Amino acid sequence: LMGYVGFANFPNQVHRKSVRKGFHFTAMVVGESGLGKSTLINTLFNTKLYPKKEPLPPSADRPQTVAIESISADIEENGVRLRLTVVDTPGFGDFVNNDESWKPIVENIEARFDAYLEQENRVNRQKMVDNRVHACLYFIQPTGHALKQIDIEFMRRLHSKVNLIPIIAKADTMTDEEILLFKQRVLSDIEHHNIRIFKAPTYENEDEETLNENEEIASKIPFAVVGSDTEVDTPDGRKVRGRSYPWGVVEVDNEEHCDFVKLRQMLVRTYMEELREHTNDVLYENYRSEKLLGMGV
Ligand code: GDP
Ligand code: MG
C-alpha cells in the first residue's frame, strides 16, 4: 500500500488525545553520511521532504561542523492531520576529528528543551508549541562488526536527553544470517556500555493480540531497514517500493525482507504517544530539574 503511513489507525483513545493536543511529532535522524537517512525519511513518511541531493562540494568547501536542518510537513490521512518535523544532522562523522560530533546535537536538543521551559514560565500558556525531539533514529553502518567508537560516544552522550532508537542502515547489503548476528552484537555492545535505548512500555491489561504485536516490535530492535523512494517492478509483475538487484527485488514494505514496517508501526502508530510522554515526563523533567538546581532555585 503505497500511500499509507498509519497514524490514522491509532487505537481510538490515543488518537483522540493526540488530535486534541495538536498532533505534533518531531523525529531526529543521526548517522554518518551515505547511510540512507534522507531516503528513509522520505520512505517513512511517504513524502518527498528531501529533494534529490545535489552532489557534495569538494570537502574543503564543506562546513566544518555538523549542521542542524529542520524540515516540517503536514501530512493527512483519513482526515487526520499530523504535523511532522524531521531534524537532520548532515556532517555527523564526516570530519577528520569526530570527537565532538555529538556536541551540536546535544546543544540543539537542549535548546528545544529551553524553548519549552521558557513557554512554561509564561503567564499565558495557552499556545504552547512543543518542538522537543521525541525520537532519535541512530543509523548504524552495516559492517557486521562491533559498534564503532563514534556510535558508542554518541549514544552515551544522548541517551539521557532523547529516546534513542538504533537502526541498522542498508540492511539489503547483508544476508538474513548476518543481520541476526549483527543485531546481537549491537545489542550486547549497547548493554556493555550501559546505553539506554527506548524501551517500549508494556501494560498488564492488554489483550493478547496487542501484547504479541508489542513483543514483535521489541524483538526487531535494532530495526534493520531498507529505504527507497522509487517504485520498482517485481518479477511477478507488481510495482513496489524497493531496490532492484540482479538476483531479485528487496521490498521495503515486505516484513520478510526488512524491518521497515515494524519501525514505522512503532513510530507513528503503536508508540508515538509513549515517545512523547517519556520525552515530557522523564527526559525533559530531568533536564528541567537539573537546570533549576544549577540556578540555585
Ligand atoms: P544520507 O547521507 O544518510 O542522507 O543518505 P542518502 O539518503 O542520501 O543515501 C545515500 C545513498 O544510499 C543514495 O545513493 C541512496 O539511494 C542509497 N540508499 C539509501 N537507502 C538505502 C538502502 O536502504 N539500501 C541501499 N543499498 N542503498 C540505500
Ligand atoms: Mg542526507
Side-chain angles (χ1 to χ4, degrees):
L1 263 170
M2 216 16 218
Y4 174 80
V5 174
F7 60 87
N9 293 344
F10 264 168
N12 265 338
Q13 249 180 330
V14 177
H15 191 157
R16 277 198 297 272
K17 199 167 150 193
S18 299
V19 170
R20 198 179 58 233
K21 282 186 184 166
F23 217 35
H24 273 212
F25 191 79
T26 301
M28 179 182 256
V29 293
V30 183
E32 291 172 67
S33 283
L35 288 183
K37 298 183 297 295
S38 304
T39 307
L40 191 83
I41 292 302
N42 284 337
T43 315
L44 196 52
F45 298 102
N46 202 37
T47 167
K48 299 229 168 176
L49 287 178
Y50 285 85
K52 274 266 173 285
K53 201 160 79 181
E54 285 166 31
L56 282 176
S59 59
D61 299 341
R62 275 184 242 158
Q64 288 301 300
T65 56
V66 177
I68 310 274
E69 294 171 359
S70 166
I71 304 176
S72 292
D74 285 310
I75 44 185
E76 188 169 332
E77 200 167 281
N78 300 346
V80 182
R81 293 185 72 186
L82 168 67
R83 163 132 278 224
L84 172 79
T85 300
V86 176
V87 182
D88 196 0
T89 56
F92 179 83
D94 287 355
F95 309 109
V96 178
N97 180 344
N98 292 300
D99 288 354
E100 305 218 310
S101 273
W102 53 271
K103 214 170 188 175
I105 298 173
V106 167
E107 283 167 4
N108 184 267
I109 287 175
E110 292 187 343
R112 289 160 182 274
F113 280 160
D114 286 336
Y116 197 81
L117 185 57
E118 196 261 326
Q119 294 180 77
E120 278 189 333
N121 291 336
R122 278 190 211 149
V123 179
N124 182 355
R125 296 206 218 156
Q126 291 298 306
K127 292 186 190 117
M128 301 267 292
V129 181
D130 184 6
N131 284 327
R132 295 170 297 184
V133 176
H134 301 111
C136 174
L137 307 182
Y138 186 76
F139 286 61
I140 298 164
Q141 193 184 349
T143 59
H145 310 299
L147 285 181
K148 298 196 259 181
Q149 192 51 43
I150 189 171
D151 303 327
I152 295 162
E153 184 70 14
F154 178 82
M155 291 199 269
R156 283 177 58 97
R157 297 282 184 174
L158 269 290
H159 68 173
S160 59
K161 314 261 180 208
V162 73
N163 289 310
L164 276 182
I165 300 176
I167 280 179
I168 294 172
K170 299 187 170 181
D172 54 324
T173 61
M174 296 176 103
T175 67
D176 290 354
E177 296 77 47
E178 286 169 337
I179 287 172
L180 277 182
L181 213 67
F182 190 43
K183 280 188 175 186
Q184 286 167 13
R185 293 220 174 114
V186 167
L187 285 180
S188 67
D189 277 357
I190 282 174
E191 198 180 301
H192 177 77
H193 292 282
N194 293 316
I195 293 162
R196 289 189 302 278
I197 55 177
F198 177 68
K199 248 187 112 190
T202 45
Y203 305 106
E204 279 182 9
N205 305 323
E206 216 74 271
D207 57 89
E208 201 169 328
E209 197 186 331
T210 313
L211 278 176
N212 288 341
E213 196 179 297
N214 294 357
E215 264 169 32
E216 243 194 272
I217 290 179
S219 75
K220 298 293 184 195
I221 299 172
F223 301 97
V225 299
V226 176
S228 165
D229 44 20
T230 49
E231 284 190 316
V232 294
D233 293 304
T234 64
D236 58 352
R238 289 172 297 131
K239 270 202 186 306
V240 299
R241 295 197 295 182
R243 307 190 81 88
S244 245
Y245 287 97
W247 42 265
V249 167
V250 181
E251 299 175 29
V252 165
D253 295 282
N254 186 333
E255 294 200 44
E256 310 260 285
H257 292 193
C258 74
D259 301 332
F260 172 78
V261 169
K262 280 281 173 289
L263 169 67
R264 178 182 60 193
Q265 206 174 322
M266 169 166 182
L267 275 184
V268 300
R269 188 181 131 121
T270 313
Y271 291 121
M272 185 181 268
E273 206 49 43
E274 277 80 2
L275 288 162
R276 288 157 45 106
E277 263 169 28
H278 190 74
T279 302
N280 184 68
D281 300 352
V282 180
L283 303 168
Y284 171 69
E285 197 47 43
N286 286 344
Y287 176 79
R288 197 180 76 95
S289 36
E290 264 174 42
K291 179 138 190 161
L292 293 181
L293 266 178
M295 297 189 318
V297 178

